[in-house]
Every structure is written in C-alpha cells, then in structure tokens.
Amino acid sequence: MCGIFCALSLSPARCVWSKAVREHLKRRGPDLSREVTVEGANSCYRCLFSAHVLHMRGLLTPQPVQDDAGNVLLWNGEIFGGLPVTPEENDTAVVSRRLSSCVGPSEILAVLSALRGPWGFVYYQKAGDYLWFGRDFLGRRSLLWAFDAEVGALTLTSVAACESGPAASFWQEVPAVGVYRIDLKAVAEAGRVTFEVYPWARGGRDLVSGYGPAALESTPGGCTAAMNRSGLVLASPVRPLNTSIPKLSDEEEIHPNSHPRVTDLEQLLASKENDAEVSRLTDVLSEAVRRRVQSLPFKARDDSPPSNEGAAVALLFSGGLDSMVLAALADRHIPAHQPIDLLNVAFELQVPKKPIESARKPGKHKNKPADCKSDGADPQTSGAFDVPDRITGKAGLGELRDLNPERRWNFVEINVTKEELQEMRRERVCHLVHPLDTVLDDSIGCAVWFAARGTGFAAAEDGGQRPFTSSAKVVLTGIGADEQLAGYSRHRVRFTASGHEGLIQELQMELGRIPSRNLGRDDRVIGDHGKEARFPYLDEDVVSHLNALPVWEKADLSLPRGVGEKLLLRLTARRLGLGQSAVLPKRAMQFGSRIAKMEARREKASDKCTRLLTE
C-alpha cells in the first residue's frame, strides 16, 4: 500500500503542495518516499509524482516507478489474482512491466480488467503524452481530486487535508465508475482539463444513461468529462446481481418475534440444499481470507521463524457475526504459533452530571451508581468501557479459544476517553474523513481510526493486563457483509414494505454506493497508521458468488432478527464451529462502541458534522 500524489500543472509555475497533505501521505507509506517530475515539450505541462511506500510484499520497490521509456507509475494496491505475482515479486513492479508493454488504450484496459484486488493508480504514458488514473471496481482504495483554476493545476492524491474557508469543499473523491485519461498535449493547448472516461461494463446496463452521469458530472469545478469515442470499456470483475423473485412457499416459518437460538440454525443446516450452499460460501470466503493473510510483508532482513509475540494480522473485532467468521477463517490459514490481534474499541461511558438538589424534579430521576468515570490509563477501572462491543468481544474471544486453544489470541482493549477523542479528531481524523462530512462519517471514522491504531491493553501472563500496541500491518475488516446479505435494519423495512423486489433494489443500491459511502474513507483512516485495510467480503470471487445466488438463499427476512438477516453467513458460522455469536443481531459500530453516545448530541447520521470542521 502507498500514499500517492500527482500534481498536473498547465502553467510554468512550480507545484506547491500542502505540508499537511505530505505528512498524511508519509504516515500511509513510512518505508520509502520519492518524487519524480516530468515535463512536456516546451514545458507546456509539468507533472509532479510523489509516492510514500508501505512495504507489503516482495522486494521493497521505490515509487514512483519510472521505466526506460519514461513511463511513470504510482500504484496503491494489492494483486490477489488475475495477474501472476510470485511470492518474491512486488506487485508494483509487475503492474509497471505490464503497462509498459501496452500501446493503445485497449491494451491498458485489458491489464486493468484482469486485476483482482483493491487498487488506485496514476500512470503517465510517455508515448502520446497521456495521464491515466482511477480506482478499482469497488473503490477499495482512496483517490481524491481537485482543480485550482487560478493556477491551472489538477491534483490527485490518496488523502488530502480539511481546511477552513473557501478551500473546505475543494476536494472530491474520484468516482469508482471507470478509469480516466487526460490528453496532456490537448489540455495544454486548450488551457483547460478534459477527462476521457473508460467506464466499467456493469451487467449490460446502458453505460451513458446508467453510469455516465456519475463519471461525467462528478468532476472538479473547471474540468469537463466525456465518454471515450471508441466506446471501450473495462470488463467487470464481478457478475451482475441475481434479480429473480421467489415463488410462494408453504414451508414452515419461525415466528418473527421469537428469540433467536443456535438450534434454529442447526435445524436449517439439516436441509441438504442449505448445507451445499453453506459449503460453497465457506470455501470461497475461506480462499478470500487466505489470499489476504498470506500475502504478508517479505522478511528480507530476518530469515528466522516469525516471533510468537508480534502478530502480522489484526481484525477490527466486535465479537459479532462478521468479525467472528473472519477470525475463524484466518485461524485456518495463519500458522498456530503466530498470534492474531483482535482490536476491540470502546468509548468511555459518560455518567450524567449530578443535578443541583434544588433543580431536581420529583419522579424525573433514577438512582445512579457512584462515579465510575475513568481516564483509561488504568485498565483495572474497566467499568467505564463495558460497552456492548466489549462484552460481545470477550464472549467471542471465548469461542475462538475453544476453536483453537493453542493460538495466542491478543484481545486488545482499546479505551478512548472523550478528551482523547476530541484531540485526535481535531489533529488527524477530520483530515482523513474529508471530503466526507456527516455525523456518521465522524462516528465511524473516529472509531475505526482508534481501533486500527491498536493501542490499548492485552492479557498479561500473570492474569492481569499490560499495555499493548498491535504490530500487525494487515487489518481485516468485515465491511461488505451487511451490504450483500441484507444485514441492516433498513433491509428489513424495505422487505416488509416491498417484498423481495424492493429488497433486491436496496441491495443493488448498497453495493453501488459502497465506494463513496465507506471504502475510500476507511482506507484513508486505517492507512494513517501505516497499515493496510483488507476486505475479504469484498473479494471479487465472494461478490460474484453472492451476486449469483437468489436473494432468498442469502437472507430470509421473514425469520426473526438474529437469524433471518445474513442467514447464509450465520449458517456458515455454525459450520465453522461458532456458537452464540452466530445468532447475534446486527449492531452498528457507532452504537456498539458507544461513540454515538459519548458527546450526547441529538443528531441524525446524515447531518453535517460540525465537529469535523477545522478552526
């Protein structure tokens, strides 16, 4: 993974870029930094390329990569399939070689279409003076753009900085609708930037009317976009969603209001049809996890076996269904002598201030416990951090220990006080979340940032707790399960109102908007710690497999909460040997960690969050 930056200038002036942006990029890529500048004939344009590398596989490869022909590549991604990459190779070098051999646009599109894994890239093609850039089909890597009309400069970057005043809305996320090409000679002559769009082919839908608007209209102010004249497209890496509607069924149903039990899943597993589907999902999801936990940093300086102390892989861990399944599958593919870090974040429970005696209203208050407030420095005063995700996390830890008692499961209790939250939001998180700006972005962004940092307390050998910071560079996250398997409460609402047809429409919308709602933000937030976010539920093979299934095989929302939503994944959890975690209802991270309650504000998730504004 890398922090990448490109500034295209149409004027002779040198590019001057923010020190804050440079620092954010360096934290993403702490292992190596480098810059390359190229100029057009007669200095009609200038491109500054800057990269900051997080070394993840093969030999450490400096970026930007400039080949003998003068082509320049900025690559922020991982290849998990599609192109052959040996364990000793670096995927940046592999992509550079393949792109260097390309002549026309169709050849470049063929290379990008073949890739499996998350990526964001910028590529300067010397022959023809073209600048290519874009994000993968699901938008799993961040890429932002901005255009300064006054100086004629276009900037592309993994992460920006939130600034007050007119520049506050300067940045936008590059839409994950395809890749873009700039004809640098034509742009220099015209004095304005036009993007040529090469969209993803998505399930046979009409590209111009269905996906064209996002590519053509969501451009920085002062820039224009047009579909490529040749009609070329990128081949979709996933198959379209199965939109079939089930026939009426006379099968016996569990009462929607009944309490979910593990035995309910056992009964459903007894069905041969369900059993086969569970086996198939287990296999494809297991392979997706394997790719992500075995593509780990190359140990060039140490040939000895990995240390029993430091983990290479961590999980954002609540003890809920999604993270428990990932933990159980990671356990299959990581040697038993290597630990796995379970990152569990909790925000300090706020105790209401005691009202002044004379101001109390009879019958309007309840007896409150003595002050249990803690600054988080002493892990023994953990009552203030006994949030729902901490409780389910500890229960999940017990299940994992039962599955594999030989492994060291480092359950990391990450305790965040109100004061630290406000400080780190102001210093770091507001810049990483930007340009997103809602209350939900604030809550999720802050929770994920503290969790991914991995600094807290873990079990000590004497039975107590010790300060602990996760050493893992790879962070697995369960995002994508709810969006594909009808895990949110809004899916149940839509199903109740509009049946399977409405639910299918909702799922189509969920996967389509996940790049702009979640993935760019989460990549920026996790990457700030010099760690790489990996999303097994969004592996192309997993998405294709789930898209191929009829909706009623993935979820049955006539069944009670804790069983019907994500039903297929719950059955998979039972197949893996998990217990009560398989029937835990969905609980959003902002509520499970209690960050949504910390600052006691009555807000809607979609409201603009004033706490993200810089002074």
Side-chain angles (χ1 to χ4, degrees), residues 67 73 86 135 173 181 232-233 262 311 326 343 361 375 409 444-445 473 487 542 548 567 592:
D67 64 18
L73 173 66
T86 66
R135 301 162 69 193
E173 290 187 327
R181 188 180 77 161
L232 295 173
V233 296
V262 175
L326 293 185
L343 309 179
K361 294 182 180 180
D375 63 3
W409 299 94
I444 298 296
K473 279 188 174 183
V542 173
L567 174 60

Side-chain angles (χ1 to χ4, degrees), residues 80-201:
F80 294 128
L83 292 181
V85 182
T86 66
E88 296 77 22
E89 285 185 302
N90 180 275
D91 59 343
T92 305
V94 170
V95 174
S96 177
R97 287 198 303 270
R98 293 297 295 266
L99 291 177
S100 296
S101 67
C102 297
V103 179
S106 61
E107 295 179 10
I108 287 181
L109 297 181
V111 171
L112 297 174
S113 296
L115 298 176
R116 297 295 180 266
W119 50 265
F121 84 111
V122 181
Y123 183 62
Y124 171 69
Q125 189 179 19
K126 177 69 174 176
D129 293 88
Y130 294 115
L131 189 70
W132 295 81
F133 62 93
R135 301 162 69 193
D136 71 80
F137 182 83
L138 293 165
R140 290 163 290 184
R141 288 291 176 260
S142 171
L143 190 63
L144 309 178
W145 57 11
F147 181 69
D148 187 337
E150 289 187 10
V151 297
L154 173 73
T155 304
L156 300 162
T157 181
S158 297
V159 62
C162 179
E163 300 173 347
S164 57
S169 58
F170 200 60
W171 296 99
Q172 301 174 37
E173 290 187 327
V174 175
V177 295
V179 297
Y180 298 79
R181 188 180 77 161
I182 300 174
D183 183 329
L184 294 172
K185 286 183 180 177
V187 163
E189 291 176 3
R192 63 176 183 273
V193 175
T194 299
F195 308 117
E196 194 174 15
V197 183
Y198 295 81
W200 292 105

Side-chain angles (χ1 to χ4, degrees), residues 6 36 47 64 174 176 195 278 318 451 486 492 497 550 558 572 581 602 611:
C6 173
V36 169
C47 288
V174 175
F195 308 117
V278 171
S318 66
R492 194 174 286 273
S558 67
T572 300
S581 59
R602 294 183 177 180
R611 297 185 295 281

Side-chain angles (χ1 to χ4, degrees), residues 25-95:
L25 291 167
K26 282 185 177 180
R27 282 195 292 271
R28 288 180 64 88
D31 296 326
L32 188 149
S33 297
R34 195 168 81 164
E35 293 183 359
V36 169
T37 301
V38 298
E39 290 189 3
N42 302 317
S43 300
C44 60
Y45 65 83
R46 177 183 288 108
C47 288
L48 168 67
F49 301 93
S50 179
H52 308 268
V53 177
L54 176 68
H55 180 212
M56 297 301 295
R57 66 200 297 185
L59 295 174
L60 178 59
T61 301
Q63 286 201 52
V65 177
Q66 187 169 27
D67 64 18
D68 294 338
N71 303 307
V72 179
L73 173 66
L74 295 172
W75 173 256
N76 175 28
E78 292 286 350
I79 299 178
F80 294 128
L83 292 181
V85 182
T86 66
E88 296 77 22
E89 285 185 302
N90 180 275
D91 59 343
T92 305
V94 170
V95 174

